[in-house]
């Protein structure tokens, strides 16, 4: 019974946006409404404090990016919200993709002056793969932006999802007066420096209040006309269509002014799905099953550089987690004691006593846990759909001091466990090849190798354009393929066979010549 209630209370989501649309600011306001932080500015100062404690993060700061993603849990009304942060920089997109496999819904933030931007399109494609329900927040209404109708049209045509406006702006930029809530028939007035709670916002029910007329002035008649148009022409909010990922309810506001955030949060807790059932290699797991299951979607190193710890982030899919319990680590077929697991209360990391479906816990990891790993209470199954993408850039590591080869291998292997880069060892040479989806990752790895492992190395370009994981049902044919193509084959960090193609044409030929072999562009963690 407790499990059912606790599960229904959970809302686990991520914010997707193009950098600068206002994700950090909105996160901060959500935490503020959740009572998790007392003062605006805390998320940013937390960011700064984290930077100060970890040297390699100085690099992120220098480059103005946020590499690390974290999990924040906070209560709102009778709900428990888990907000999974996603790195904004394009070079870390794989990380973001995997975070999106661990959520039940997403919140999309769009800058009202810029509209739909490139990163938003990419992230939306990922959400599409799983029909993730999406709520849209159009931000920065206090600045001049594009017309609301034009913005909705753009979301519909570029992102291919139907929009259902739930709040509607009354003016914009210097003329911003408030928003009208189409479902509750309320007008929320915009008052800079206020709007922190419902109590300090001015809200009118209905449009007929004389005081509202006075406050809106000559915009009152304009609003009535516009609303008539909007109500006639727009799609009404349809919860089922939202849950199916076919329609996105749209809210307008200004995160930095706290404005329009509470209606967004209220609608979110009301309508966003709780923990959903999830597919595994053998069956679908319902969150209401009493045995614990979960999967690891992220590994983060050196959250505390003094302890060199690595933390594996596990999304709980069913059952109950209790501190110190033993769980079955499916990949290694070993029982593992989940001692000292962490939760991520917005205020700090705390030791967790119990956690429920939808929650994320952090498990200390000394290298045995990988991204994609499943934990159960004994059942032999693995969650599916947590991909490792084929890298698009490849470089060979060259040591300045050849005696450090052991440290280099260890460093590359451990850093690739975090999932942002992948590490390959060719069958026929002693090269160490690193694959990444963005150039910046090579700098990050070089920096961290030096800082954390004392290894000074360079990354030089090599003639590889793409990678494919190689599978074959027929052992004999696979062995034959391996022998013939040994000079193109490598092992990845998990020991899986990978074809590193020098050109697209070479890859095409290899595929044509070996019909019994399957070439996969992603490695599903099994
Ligand atoms: P991100 O995480 O999506 O990258 O965006 P972030 O929240 O850091 O916001 C990017 C910039 O947009 C910040 O300004 C932030 O203050 C501003 N911003 C966010 N919401 C609003 C809003 O509703 N209205 C207006 N006018 N601006 C908004 P910055 O100058 O880069 O940083 P800061 O100096 O303000 O901290």
């Amino acid at each position: 019974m407790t499990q059912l209630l606790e599960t229904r209370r959970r809302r686990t989501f991520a914010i997707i946006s193009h950098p600068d649309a206002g994700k950090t600011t909105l996160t901060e306001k959500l935490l503020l409404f959740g009572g998790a932080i007392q003062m605006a500015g805390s998320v940013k100062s937390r960011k700064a404090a984290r930077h100060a404690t970890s040297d390699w993060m100085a690099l992120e700061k220098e480059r103005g990016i946020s590499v690390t993603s974290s999990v924040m849990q906070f209560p709102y009304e009778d709900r428990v919200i888990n907000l999974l942060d996603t790195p904004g920089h394009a070079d870390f997109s794989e990380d973001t993709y995997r975070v999106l496999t661990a959520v039940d819904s997403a919140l999309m933030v769009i800058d009202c002056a810029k509209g739909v931007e490139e990163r938003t399109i990419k992230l939306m494609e990922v959400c599409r793969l799983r029909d993730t329900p999406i709520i849209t927040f159009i931000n920065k209404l206090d600045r001049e932006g594009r017309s609301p109708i034009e913005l909705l049209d753009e979301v519909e045509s570029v992102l291919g999802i139907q929009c259902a406006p739930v709040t509607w702006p009354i003016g914009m930029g210097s003329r911003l007066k408030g928003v009208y809530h189409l479902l509750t028939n309320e007008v929320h007035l915009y008052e800079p420096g206020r709007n922190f709670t419902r109590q300090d916002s001015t809200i009118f029910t209905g449009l007929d209040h004389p005081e509202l007329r006075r406050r809106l002035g000559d915009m009152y008649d304009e609003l009535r006309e516009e609303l008539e148009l909007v109500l006639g022409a727009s799609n009404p909010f349809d919860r089922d269509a939202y849950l199916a990922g076919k329609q996105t309810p749209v809210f307008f506001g200004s995160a930095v002014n706290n404005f329009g955030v509470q209606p967004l949060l209220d609608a979110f807790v009301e309508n966003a799905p709780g923990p959903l059932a999830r597919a595994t290699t053998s069956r679908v797991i319902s969150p209401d099953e009493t045995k614990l299951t979960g999967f690891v979607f992220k590994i983060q190193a050196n959250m505390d550089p003094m302890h060199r710890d690595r933390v594996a982030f596990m999304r709980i899919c069913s059952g109950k987690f209790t501190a110190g319990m033993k769980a079955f680590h499916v990949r290694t077929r070993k029982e593992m004691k989940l001692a000292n697991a962490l939760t991520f209360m917005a205020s700090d990391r705390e030791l967790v006593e119990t956690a429920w479906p939808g929650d994320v816990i952090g498990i200390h990891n000394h290298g045995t846990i990988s991204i994609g790993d499943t934990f159960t209470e004994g059942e032999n199954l693995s969650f599916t759909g947590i991909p490792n993408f084929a890298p698009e850039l490849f470089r060979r590591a060259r040591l300045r001091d050849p005696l450090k080869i052991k440290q280099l291998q260890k460093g590359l292997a451990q850093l690739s466990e975090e999932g942002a880069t992948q590490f390959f060892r060719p069958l026929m040479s002693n090269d160490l090849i690193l694959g990444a989806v963005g150039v910046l990752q090579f700098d990050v790895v070089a920096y961290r190798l030096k800082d954390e492992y004392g290894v000074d190395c360079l990354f030089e370009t090599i003639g590889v354009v793409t990678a494919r994981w190689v599978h074959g049902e027929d052992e004999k044919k696979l062995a034959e393929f391996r022998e013939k193509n040994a000079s193109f084959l490598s092992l990845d960090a998990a020991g899986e066979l990978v074809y590193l193609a020098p050109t697209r044409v070479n890859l095409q030929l290899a595929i044509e010549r070996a019909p019994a072999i399957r070439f996969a562009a992603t490695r599903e963690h099994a």
Side-chain angles (χ1 to χ4, degrees), residues 301-376:
N302 299 341
M303 287 173 78
D304 179 354
M306 299 304 289
H307 296 98
R308 275 287 172 108
D309 63 344
R310 267 173 290 161
V311 172
F313 290 76
M314 177 166 97
R315 145 101 196 200
I316 297 178
C317 300
S318 68
K320 175 186 179 184
F321 166 84
T322 36
M325 76 184 283
K326 283 195 177 135
F328 180 59
H329 183 218
V330 176
R331 187 171 50 80
T332 57
R333 311 209 168 277
K334 285 198 180 117
E335 284 266 311
M336 203 184 264
K337 192 165 181 215
L338 304 180
N340 306 325
L342 304 166
T343 49
F344 301 89
M345 297 299 288
S347 50
D348 212 340
R349 289 198 277 168
E350 288 177 9
L351 287 187
V352 56
E353 289 299 322
T354 51
W356 302 99
D359 288 345
V360 172
I361 58 170
I363 309 166
H364 286 286
N365 177 23
H366 303 287
T368 35
I369 307 175
S370 306
I371 288 172
D373 284 0
T374 294
F375 284 89
T376 68

Side-chain angles (χ1 to χ4, degrees), residues 17 19-25 44 139-140 142-143 254-256:
S17 65
D20 265 357
K23 188 182 68 173
T24 312
T25 312
K44 287 229 165 121
N139 190 26
K140 307 199 186 179
D142 59 316
R143 285 201 190 150
S254 166
V256 81

